[in-house]
Amino acid sequence: MRVVTLLPSATEIVCGLGLQDQLVGVSHSCNFPAAINQLPAVTSTHVPFTASSETIDNYVREHLSGHAALYDLDVAALESLQPDVIVSQALCDVCAVATGDVTAALTELSSKPTLIDLTPNTLDDVFDDIRRVGETLDLPDRATALVADLKARCERLASTRIDRRPRVAFLEWLIPPFNGGHWNPELVRLAGGVDLLGAHGQPSSSQDWEQIADADPDLIFIACCGFRVERALEDVEQLQDHPVWQSLRAVRDGRVFVTDGNAYFASPGPRLIDGLEVLAHALHPTIHPRPDAAPLVRIT
């Protein structure tokens, strides 16, 4: 079976099922596992990701308000790959190629591929998507086993006795600030915290620093969408002169943590549970050991 994935979470799910050898094409933003970097990319983006965060935010807002595409799909490249299955998403036009563009492309492809649209808002939705991909790719038992393992890791954390749950501001963008949406409030709960800004299964939304100050978080957890740690730290540095930032109790107490949001929180695939374990360590370092692989920087 020949599979093309149009976003990182789809790639991670297919590879998590042990089907990396069936992947023939990926999106421009797919980078895990490393071996897929040799595959042709069938998408590209107009988003200026090397610009400042404020510039990126303004660009995305303007394009979405005018219904302009943020991503392009290379239909000619898709045709040459002759996919049997395409795994895309119908959740967020900011994250990957829009559903309408993918649907239109399907009518042009001679291979007549099956389309799987991932639409997760919660962890259970993510697990359901893994099962759907497994069933379509004729490996339902392997998908069931993968989901069982991921759920067991969640349950081990959720069942841990916690005497005090810190009040958390989970931020997936800093300039301007956005709270973590969709599955992220659930991750905060499973990790032993209380999410002050987000709501279970709801999209992220723009905040202002006064709102965050009013919430008075015990801890700030930064996992910027699309950014690795180093890039997120550049934005944290820009906040050092912001009067509200300096007034936050979590900042004064040195309880600000930065991790790789691109790898562990923005992409609804198996590595969300790695992210959960990173978050649990940040919230309760004496209870949960720090995962070896995932980066975590504490701002003091």
Side-chain angles (χ1 to χ4, degrees):
M1 194 172 297
R2 298 173 64 80
V3 182
V4 169
T5 51
L6 300 184
L7 69 161
S9 61
T11 301
E12 293 178 25
I13 289 171
V14 170
C15 292
L17 294 172
L19 297 174
Q20 183 175 312
D21 60 339
Q22 297 187 27
L23 271 176
V24 295
V26 295
S27 80
H28 67 281
S29 55
C30 293
N31 59 15
F32 182 87
I36 62 95
N37 292 328
Q38 63 186 343
L39 295 174
V42 299
T43 67
S44 59
T45 182
H46 301 284
V47 179
F49 278 112
T50 58
S52 70
S53 294
E54 186 175 18
T55 298
I56 294 170
D57 178 70
N58 288 335
Y59 182 93
V60 170
R61 289 176 190 266
E62 290 172 5
H63 271 62
L64 292 181
S65 66
H67 304 288
L70 292 171
Y71 301 92
D72 289 330
L73 182 62
D74 189 336
V75 179
L78 268 180
E79 173 64 22
S80 70
L81 294 173
Q82 290 289 291
D84 301 302
V85 174
I86 296 176
V87 190
S88 186
Q89 61 92 39
L91 179 67
C92 175
D93 287 348
V94 177
C95 301
V97 176
T99 301
D101 293 342
V102 179
T103 303
L106 289 179
T107 65
E108 302 182 39
L109 299 178
S110 60
S111 62
K112 304 303 178 187
T114 298
L115 175 64
I116 308 174
D117 258 337
L118 309 181
T119 56
N121 286 292
T122 67
L123 270 185
D124 279 343
D125 293 341
V126 175
F127 298 147
D128 287 343
D129 281 342
I130 292 173
R131 294 189 191 97
R132 284 199 299 123
V133 173
E135 289 169 1
T136 303
L137 300 181
D138 297 326
L139 286 173
D141 292 344
R142 194 176 294 181
T144 298
L146 175 57
V147 168
D149 176 68
L150 296 173
K151 282 190 168 184
R153 289 166 64 189
C154 292
E155 289 165 3
R156 279 196 296 271
L157 290 175
S159 63
T160 303
R161 179 189 172 95
I162 301 295
D163 292 329
R164 180 178 177 275
R165 290 178 170 265
R167 300 162 68 254
V168 179
F170 186 114
L171 299 176
E172 69 170 39
W173 200 257
L174 290 180
I175 305 174
F178 277 73
N179 68 284
H182 298 298
W183 44 84
N184 287 312
E186 187 174 2
L187 295 181
V188 172
R189 178 183 63 79
L190 291 172
V194 177
D195 192 316
L196 297 177
L197 306 177
H200 176 74
Q202 297 301 307
S204 63
S205 59
S206 181
Q207 309 283 309
D208 61 55
W209 290 111
E210 287 72 19
Q211 285 177 284
I212 296 170
D214 290 342
D216 194 25
D218 302 314
L219 182 147
I220 298 172
F221 190 83
I222 299 167
C224 289
C225 182
F227 286 174
R228 297 180 184 273
V229 170
E230 295 78 13
R231 179 64 176 79
L233 287 173
E234 293 178 14
D235 282 5
V236 174
E237 182 63 29
Q238 291 186 50
L239 294 175
Q240 296 308 307
D241 295 328
H242 193 291
V244 177
W245 174 261
Q246 293 296 343
S247 74
L248 297 173
R249 177 163 49 129
V251 175
R252 297 197 311 270
D253 292 348
R255 301 197 72 193
V256 178
F257 294 86
V258 183
T259 193
D260 188 333
N262 187 54
Y264 299 109
F265 292 93
S267 185
R271 287 200 294 171
L272 278 185
I273 311 309
D274 296 340
L276 170 61
E277 291 167 349
V278 173
L279 179 57
H281 172 72
L283 270 57
H284 301 285
T286 62
I287 298 174
H288 299 297
R290 177 173 176 167
D292 293 331
L296 183 69
V297 175
R298 182 171 184 173
I299 308 298
T300 57

